[in-house]
mmCIF file of all heavy atoms in Angstrom:
data_model
loop_
_atom_site.group_PDB
_atom_site.id
_atom_site.type_symbol
_atom_site.label_atom_id
_atom_site.label_comp_id
_atom_site.label_asym_id
_atom_site.label_seq_id
_atom_site.Cartn_x
_atom_site.Cartn_y
_atom_site.Cartn_z
ATOM 1 N N LEU A 1 0.829 -1.189 0.000
ATOM 2 C CA LEU A 1 0.000 0.000 0.000
ATOM 3 C C LEU A 1 0.866 1.241 0.000
ATOM 4 O O LEU A 1 2.009 1.231 0.468
ATOM 5 C CB LEU A 1 -0.945 0.014 1.200
ATOM 6 C CG LEU A 1 -0.348 -0.025 2.597
ATOM 7 C CD1 LEU A 1 -1.217 0.775 3.565
ATOM 8 C CD2 LEU A 1 -0.295 -1.483 3.079
ATOM 9 N N PHE A 2 0.310 2.304 -0.572
ATOM 10 C CA PHE A 2 1.053 3.545 -0.661
ATOM 11 C C PHE A 2 0.125 4.726 -0.503
ATOM 12 O O PHE A 2 -1.094 4.619 -0.675
ATOM 13 C CB PHE A 2 1.796 3.644 -2.001
ATOM 14 C CG PHE A 2 0.921 3.924 -3.192
ATOM 15 C CD1 PHE A 2 0.781 5.217 -3.693
ATOM 16 C CD2 PHE A 2 0.224 2.907 -3.830
ATOM 17 C CE1 PHE A 2 -0.031 5.485 -4.784
ATOM 18 C CE2 PHE A 2 -0.585 3.159 -4.935
ATOM 19 C CZ PHE A 2 -0.709 4.457 -5.408
ATOM 20 N N CYS A 3 0.719 5.869 -0.187
ATOM 21 C CA CYS A 3 -0.009 7.126 -0.208
ATOM 22 C C CYS A 3 0.879 8.174 -0.848
ATOM 23 O O CYS A 3 2.114 8.065 -0.819
ATOM 24 C CB CYS A 3 -0.437 7.574 1.188
ATOM 25 S SG CYS A 3 0.940 7.968 2.294
ATOM 26 N N ILE A 4 0.272 9.158 -1.454
ATOM 27 C CA ILE A 4 1.004 10.302 -1.957
ATOM 28 C C ILE A 4 1.253 11.234 -0.776
ATOM 29 O O ILE A 4 0.334 11.597 -0.051
ATOM 30 C CB ILE A 4 0.213 11.031 -3.061
ATOM 31 C CG1 ILE A 4 -0.118 10.055 -4.205
ATOM 32 C CG2 ILE A 4 0.993 12.228 -3.571
ATOM 33 C CD1 ILE A 4 1.080 9.456 -4.908
ATOM 34 N N GLY A 5 2.517 11.623 -0.581
ATOM 35 C CA GLY A 5 2.887 12.411 0.583
ATOM 36 C C GLY A 5 3.466 11.527 1.668
ATOM 37 O O GLY A 5 3.283 10.294 1.670
ATOM 38 N N SER A 6 4.224 12.140 2.582
ATOM 39 C CA SER A 6 4.893 11.365 3.626
ATOM 40 C C SER A 6 5.143 12.258 4.828
ATOM 41 O O SER A 6 4.771 13.436 4.830
ATOM 42 C CB SER A 6 6.227 10.818 3.096
ATOM 43 O OG SER A 6 7.159 11.881 2.937
ATOM 44 N N GLY A 7 5.790 11.698 5.806
ATOM 45 C CA GLY A 7 6.133 12.485 6.988
ATOM 46 C C GLY A 7 7.473 13.174 6.857
ATOM 47 O O GLY A 7 7.988 13.716 7.833
ATOM 48 N N SER A 8 8.047 13.180 5.650
ATOM 49 C CA SER A 8 9.372 13.786 5.450
ATOM 50 C C SER A 8 9.385 14.444 4.074
ATOM 51 O O SER A 8 8.343 14.842 3.563
ATOM 52 C CB SER A 8 10.449 12.711 5.550
ATOM 53 O OG SER A 8 10.348 11.808 4.461
ATOM 54 N N ASP A 9 10.583 14.537 3.484
ATOM 55 C CA ASP A 9 10.670 15.131 2.154
ATOM 56 C C ASP A 9 10.441 14.117 1.039
ATOM 57 O O ASP A 9 10.559 14.458 -0.143
ATOM 58 C CB ASP A 9 12.036 15.806 1.960
ATOM 59 C CG ASP A 9 13.193 14.832 2.114
ATOM 60 O OD1 ASP A 9 12.974 13.719 2.671
ATOM 61 O OD2 ASP A 9 14.314 15.167 1.701
ATOM 62 N N ALA A 10 10.137 12.864 1.360
ATOM 63 C CA ALA A 10 9.825 11.870 0.339
ATOM 64 C C ALA A 10 8.459 12.182 -0.281
ATOM 65 O O ALA A 10 7.592 12.799 0.342
ATOM 66 C CB ALA A 10 9.828 10.471 0.921
ATOM 67 N N ASP A 11 8.270 11.724 -1.505
ATOM 68 C CA ASP A 11 7.013 11.983 -2.218
ATOM 69 C C ASP A 11 5.933 10.960 -1.912
ATOM 70 O O ASP A 11 4.738 11.242 -2.053
ATOM 71 C CB ASP A 11 7.280 11.977 -3.731
ATOM 72 C CG ASP A 11 8.339 12.987 -4.128
ATOM 73 O OD1 ASP A 11 8.061 14.190 -4.049
ATOM 74 O OD2 ASP A 11 9.454 12.559 -4.492
ATOM 75 N N VAL A 12 6.347 9.751 -1.502
ATOM 76 C CA VAL A 12 5.427 8.624 -1.331
ATOM 77 C C VAL A 12 5.848 7.833 -0.103
ATOM 78 O O VAL A 12 7.043 7.647 0.146
ATOM 79 C CB VAL A 12 5.442 7.715 -2.584
ATOM 80 C CG1 VAL A 12 4.672 6.427 -2.352
ATOM 81 C CG2 VAL A 12 4.882 8.464 -3.802
ATOM 82 N N ARG A 13 4.867 7.366 0.682
ATOM 83 C CA ARG A 13 5.119 6.441 1.804
ATOM 84 C C ARG A 13 4.536 5.084 1.420
ATOM 85 O O ARG A 13 3.432 5.008 0.863
ATOM 86 C CB ARG A 13 4.470 6.954 3.085
ATOM 87 C CG ARG A 13 4.486 5.985 4.279
ATOM 88 C CD ARG A 13 5.844 5.839 4.937
ATOM 89 N NE ARG A 13 6.238 7.011 5.687
ATOM 90 C CZ ARG A 13 5.981 7.228 6.992
ATOM 91 N NH1 ARG A 13 5.307 6.341 7.681
ATOM 92 N NH2 ARG A 13 6.412 8.325 7.581
ATOM 93 N N VAL A 14 5.268 3.999 1.754
ATOM 94 C CA VAL A 14 4.898 2.642 1.347
ATOM 95 C C VAL A 14 4.957 1.714 2.551
ATOM 96 O O VAL A 14 5.817 1.858 3.426
ATOM 97 C CB VAL A 14 5.848 2.133 0.238
ATOM 98 C CG1 VAL A 14 5.557 0.673 -0.107
ATOM 99 C CG2 VAL A 14 5.750 3.007 -1.013
ATOM 100 N N ARG A 15 4.048 0.735 2.590
ATOM 101 C CA ARG A 15 4.159 -0.418 3.485
ATOM 102 C C ARG A 15 3.797 -1.670 2.679
ATOM 103 O O ARG A 15 2.923 -1.616 1.809
ATOM 104 C CB ARG A 15 3.231 -0.296 4.705
ATOM 105 C CG ARG A 15 3.626 0.799 5.658
ATOM 106 C CD ARG A 15 2.748 0.832 6.902
ATOM 107 N NE ARG A 15 3.045 -0.268 7.810
ATOM 108 C CZ ARG A 15 2.434 -0.443 8.991
ATOM 109 N NH1 ARG A 15 1.484 0.390 9.379
ATOM 110 N NH2 ARG A 15 2.755 -1.457 9.765
ATOM 111 N N THR A 16 4.452 -2.792 2.993
ATOM 112 C CA THR A 16 4.260 -4.025 2.223
ATOM 113 C C THR A 16 4.098 -5.213 3.161
ATOM 114 O O THR A 16 4.883 -5.379 4.097
ATOM 115 C CB THR A 16 5.461 -4.257 1.285
ATOM 116 O OG1 THR A 16 5.559 -3.162 0.380
ATOM 117 C CG2 THR A 16 5.296 -5.551 0.502
ATOM 118 N N PHE A 17 3.099 -6.057 2.865
ATOM 119 C CA PHE A 17 2.806 -7.248 3.669
ATOM 120 C C PHE A 17 2.747 -8.467 2.751
ATOM 121 O O PHE A 17 2.063 -8.446 1.721
ATOM 122 C CB PHE A 17 1.474 -7.081 4.394
ATOM 123 C CG PHE A 17 1.402 -5.845 5.254
ATOM 124 C CD1 PHE A 17 0.881 -4.659 4.745
ATOM 125 C CD2 PHE A 17 1.890 -5.855 6.547
ATOM 126 C CE1 PHE A 17 0.829 -3.509 5.524
ATOM 127 C CE2 PHE A 17 1.849 -4.706 7.338
ATOM 128 C CZ PHE A 17 1.312 -3.531 6.823
ATOM 129 N N ALA A 18 3.462 -9.534 3.127
ATOM 130 C CA ALA A 18 3.469 -10.758 2.319
ATOM 131 C C ALA A 18 3.498 -11.992 3.208
ATOM 132 O O ALA A 18 4.414 -12.820 3.121
ATOM 133 C CB ALA A 18 4.666 -10.758 1.373
ATOM 134 N N PRO A 19 2.493 -12.170 4.085
ATOM 135 C CA PRO A 19 2.506 -13.326 4.976
ATOM 136 C C PRO A 19 2.467 -14.656 4.235
ATOM 137 O O PRO A 19 2.952 -15.666 4.741
ATOM 138 C CB PRO A 19 1.271 -13.125 5.859
ATOM 139 C CG PRO A 19 0.409 -12.175 5.096
ATOM 140 C CD PRO A 19 1.334 -11.300 4.319
ATOM 141 N N GLY A 20 1.921 -14.666 3.011
ATOM 142 C CA GLY A 20 1.887 -15.905 2.243
ATOM 143 C C GLY A 20 3.256 -16.419 1.864
ATOM 144 O O GLY A 20 3.433 -17.610 1.601
ATOM 145 N N ALA A 21 4.254 -15.514 1.823
ATOM 146 C CA ALA A 21 5.630 -15.902 1.519
ATOM 147 C C ALA A 21 6.476 -16.030 2.778
ATOM 148 O O ALA A 21 7.697 -16.164 2.692
ATOM 149 C CB ALA A 21 6.259 -14.878 0.576
ATOM 150 N N GLY A 22 5.846 -15.968 3.948
ATOM 151 C CA GLY A 22 6.579 -16.100 5.203
ATOM 152 C C GLY A 22 7.127 -14.795 5.729
ATOM 153 O O GLY A 22 7.965 -14.786 6.636
ATOM 154 N N VAL A 23 6.664 -13.657 5.179
ATOM 155 C CA VAL A 23 7.138 -12.339 5.607
ATOM 156 C C VAL A 23 5.912 -11.489 5.930
ATOM 157 O O VAL A 23 5.231 -11.010 5.024
ATOM 158 C CB VAL A 23 7.970 -11.651 4.496
ATOM 159 C CG1 VAL A 23 8.484 -10.296 4.984
ATOM 160 C CG2 VAL A 23 9.113 -12.538 4.044
ATOM 161 N N PHE A 24 5.621 -11.310 7.220
ATOM 162 C CA PHE A 24 4.407 -10.556 7.534
ATOM 163 C C PHE A 24 4.513 -9.126 7.007
ATOM 164 O O PHE A 24 3.647 -8.671 6.255
ATOM 165 C CB PHE A 24 4.118 -10.538 9.034
ATOM 166 C CG PHE A 24 2.840 -9.809 9.339
ATOM 167 C CD1 PHE A 24 1.614 -10.388 9.051
ATOM 168 C CD2 PHE A 24 2.858 -8.522 9.860
ATOM 169 C CE1 PHE A 24 0.417 -9.700 9.291
ATOM 170 C CE2 PHE A 24 1.678 -7.832 10.096
ATOM 171 C CZ PHE A 24 0.461 -8.422 9.812
ATOM 172 N N GLU A 25 5.564 -8.398 7.395
ATOM 173 C CA GLU A 25 5.804 -7.072 6.828
ATOM 174 C C GLU A 25 7.256 -6.974 6.399
ATOM 175 O O GLU A 25 8.163 -7.356 7.142
ATOM 176 C CB GLU A 25 5.461 -5.946 7.811
ATOM 177 C CG GLU A 25 5.651 -4.567 7.185
ATOM 178 C CD GLU A 25 5.068 -3.408 7.992
ATOM 179 O OE1 GLU A 25 4.557 -3.669 9.099
ATOM 180 O OE2 GLU A 25 5.136 -2.257 7.513
ATOM 181 N N ASP A 26 7.457 -6.455 5.194
ATOM 182 C CA ASP A 26 8.793 -6.304 4.631
ATOM 183 C C ASP A 26 9.242 -4.866 4.829
ATOM 184 O O ASP A 26 8.477 -3.939 4.544
ATOM 185 C CB ASP A 26 8.760 -6.648 3.139
ATOM 186 C CG ASP A 26 10.141 -6.856 2.559
ATOM 187 O OD1 ASP A 26 11.007 -7.407 3.259
ATOM 188 O OD2 ASP A 26 10.356 -6.476 1.399
ATOM 189 N N PRO A 27 10.476 -4.642 5.297
ATOM 190 C CA PRO A 27 10.884 -3.260 5.577
ATOM 191 C C PRO A 27 10.905 -2.355 4.352
ATOM 192 O O PRO A 27 10.315 -1.266 4.374
ATOM 193 C CB PRO A 27 12.282 -3.414 6.186
ATOM 194 C CG PRO A 27 12.317 -4.796 6.740
ATOM 195 C CD PRO A 27 11.476 -5.614 5.795
ATOM 196 N N VAL A 28 11.615 -2.759 3.289
ATOM 197 C CA VAL A 28 11.716 -1.926 2.082
ATOM 198 C C VAL A 28 11.713 -2.863 0.881
ATOM 199 O O VAL A 28 12.582 -3.726 0.776
ATOM 200 C CB VAL A 28 12.996 -1.060 2.065
ATOM 201 C CG1 VAL A 28 12.864 0.049 1.030
ATOM 202 C CG2 VAL A 28 13.305 -0.464 3.434
ATOM 203 N N THR A 29 10.777 -2.669 -0.041
ATOM 204 C CA THR A 29 10.480 -3.676 -1.056
ATOM 205 C C THR A 29 10.678 -3.102 -2.451
ATOM 206 O O THR A 29 9.848 -2.338 -2.951
ATOM 207 C CB THR A 29 9.028 -4.173 -0.895
ATOM 208 O OG1 THR A 29 8.753 -4.386 0.482
ATOM 209 C CG2 THR A 29 8.805 -5.453 -1.668
ATOM 210 N N GLY A 30 11.761 -3.507 -3.121
ATOM 211 C CA GLY A 30 12.060 -2.964 -4.431
ATOM 212 C C GLY A 30 11.082 -3.386 -5.509
ATOM 213 O O GLY A 30 10.741 -2.602 -6.400
ATOM 214 N N SER A 31 10.604 -4.631 -5.454
ATOM 215 C CA SER A 31 9.692 -5.105 -6.499
ATOM 216 C C SER A 31 8.344 -4.402 -6.422
ATOM 217 O O SER A 31 7.801 -3.960 -7.448
ATOM 218 C CB SER A 31 9.515 -6.625 -6.407
ATOM 219 O OG SER A 31 8.996 -6.997 -5.144
ATOM 220 N N SER A 32 7.784 -4.268 -5.227
ATOM 221 C CA SER A 32 6.469 -3.627 -5.137
ATOM 222 C C SER A 32 6.570 -2.124 -5.374
ATOM 223 O O SER A 32 5.626 -1.513 -5.905
ATOM 224 C CB SER A 32 5.805 -3.913 -3.786
ATOM 225 O OG SER A 32 6.398 -3.193 -2.736
ATOM 226 N N ASN A 33 7.695 -1.513 -5.017
ATOM 227 C CA ASN A 33 7.860 -0.094 -5.327
ATOM 228 C C ASN A 33 7.890 0.140 -6.831
ATOM 229 O O ASN A 33 7.396 1.158 -7.327
ATOM 230 C CB ASN A 33 9.116 0.463 -4.660
ATOM 231 C CG ASN A 33 8.841 1.037 -3.286
ATOM 232 O OD1 ASN A 33 8.418 2.184 -3.151
ATOM 233 N ND2 ASN A 33 9.060 0.227 -2.253
ATOM 234 N N GLY A 34 8.470 -0.801 -7.576
ATOM 235 C CA GLY A 34 8.414 -0.696 -9.030
ATOM 236 C C GLY A 34 6.997 -0.761 -9.554
ATOM 237 O O GLY A 34 6.606 -0.014 -10.460
ATOM 238 N N CYS A 35 6.192 -1.654 -8.976
ATOM 239 C CA CYS A 35 4.777 -1.759 -9.370
ATOM 240 C C CYS A 35 4.020 -0.478 -9.028
ATOM 241 O O CYS A 35 3.198 0.006 -9.828
ATOM 242 C CB CYS A 35 4.136 -2.950 -8.672
ATOM 243 S SG CYS A 35 4.823 -4.556 -9.124
ATOM 244 N N ILE A 36 4.279 0.065 -7.854
ATOM 245 C CA ILE A 36 3.624 1.311 -7.446
ATOM 246 C C ILE A 36 4.001 2.437 -8.397
ATOM 247 O O ILE A 36 3.143 3.234 -8.823
ATOM 248 C CB ILE A 36 4.002 1.652 -5.990
ATOM 249 C CG1 ILE A 36 3.338 0.661 -5.022
ATOM 250 C CG2 ILE A 36 3.609 3.091 -5.645
ATOM 251 C CD1 ILE A 36 3.875 0.733 -3.612
ATOM 252 N N ALA A 37 5.276 2.516 -8.758
ATOM 253 C CA ALA A 37 5.721 3.574 -9.668
ATOM 254 C C ALA A 37 5.018 3.468 -11.015
ATOM 255 O O ALA A 37 4.616 4.485 -11.604
ATOM 256 C CB ALA A 37 7.235 3.500 -9.852
#
């Protein structure tokens, strides 16, 4: 999930959850950020 705007100078804030792959929340996710972009 993402939103436009953040709590800093970043343009977008992201969170990613993948419990089906054994990772409840992933800290920083390059593949999903590409999809979001």
Side-chain angles (χ1 to χ4, degrees):
L1 59 147
F2 74 98
C3 65
I4 303 299
S6 71
S8 67
D9 59 344
D11 303 290
V12 171
R13 172 74 72 91
V14 175
R15 292 184 73 178
T16 299
F17 304 93
V23 182
F24 182 74
E25 183 168 3
D26 194 37
V28 196
T29 317
S31 59
S32 73
N33 269 277
C35 296
I36 290 168

